[in-house]
């Protein structure tokens, strides 16, 4: 008798556990903390390039974009994720009037925001790296 190997399948109809959603939220907060470090590095890089640049290329627009990104990142996204985690805590403690479906909808919305922000941040980093590469080439 031979056995047939069946491919691994996942049942996508089952919702993710609240613990899994919590882990994803914690990962988002860690990602944002890393982005905070990156924005500080980029600010330092661009400020240094602004002062060292003798060719008149203005980095002030990139610095303004970085500041806008910084504000959105720190004041908006982090607070939303923390509030989301607070709601989860209340659900786990058995608080009445907090529907599980609403929490999951909010989680899905936050996941979409993180995805969009990740793409925007990557585009910004590409711009900064391109500028740094061009500046290095120009100085050589």
């Amino acid at each position: 008798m031979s056995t047939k190997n069946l491919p691994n399948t996942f049942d996508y109809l089952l919702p993710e556990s609240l613990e899994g959603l919590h882990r994803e939220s914690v990962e988002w907060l860690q990602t944002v903390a890393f982005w905070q470090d990156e924005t500080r590095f980029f600010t330092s890089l661009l400020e240094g390039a602004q002062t060292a640049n003798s060719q008149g290329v203005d980095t002030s627009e990139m610095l303004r974009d970085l500041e806008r990104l910084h504000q959105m990142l720190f004041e908006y996204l982090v607070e939303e994720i923390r509030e989301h985690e607070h709601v989860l805590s209340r659900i786990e403690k058995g608080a009445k009037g907090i529907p599980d479906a609403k929490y999951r909808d909010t989680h899905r919305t936050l996941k979409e925001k993180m995805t969009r922000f990740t793409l925007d941040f990557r585009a910004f980093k590409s711009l900064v790296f391109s500028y740094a590469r061009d500046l290095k080439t120009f100085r050589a």
Side-chain angles (χ1 to χ4, degrees), residues 42-65:
F42 290 139
T43 298
S44 175
L45 177 72
L46 292 172
E47 286 172 346
Q50 182 71 29
T51 58
N53 187 0
S54 62
Q55 300 304 319
V57 176
D58 187 13
T59 60
S60 61
E61 184 177 341
M62 280 191 273
L63 286 168
R64 279 192 302 276
D65 287 346

Side-chain angles (χ1 to χ4, degrees), residues 4 8 12 23-25 44 46 57 60 66 76 83 97 109 113 122:
K4 184 178 179 182
N8 289 335
Y12 291 107
R23 274 195 308 271
E24 189 170 37
S25 295
S44 175
L46 292 172
V57 176
S60 61
L66 188 59
Y76 182 69
E83 178 58 31
T109 300
K113 286 181 182 181
R122 283 182 187 161

Side-chain angles (χ1 to χ4, degrees), residues 30-86:
Q30 292 170 345
T31 298
V32 171
F34 180 71
W35 288 342
Q36 289 173 322
D37 289 340
E38 284 186 309
T39 58
R40 283 188 285 275
F41 169 77
F42 290 139
T43 298
S44 175
L45 177 72
L46 292 172
E47 286 172 346
Q50 182 71 29
T51 58
N53 187 0
S54 62
Q55 300 304 319
V57 176
D58 187 13
T59 60
S60 61
E61 184 177 341
M62 280 191 273
L63 286 168
R64 279 192 302 276
D65 287 346
L66 188 59
E67 182 61 27
R68 182 185 55 78
L69 182 71
H70 178 344
Q71 292 300 320
M72 184 173 68
L73 178 69
F74 301 147
E75 294 177 6
Y76 182 69
L77 193 55
V78 170
E79 286 306 313
E80 267 194 275
I81 295 169
R82 286 183 180 153
E83 178 58 31
H84 183 63
E85 282 292 284
H86 179 70

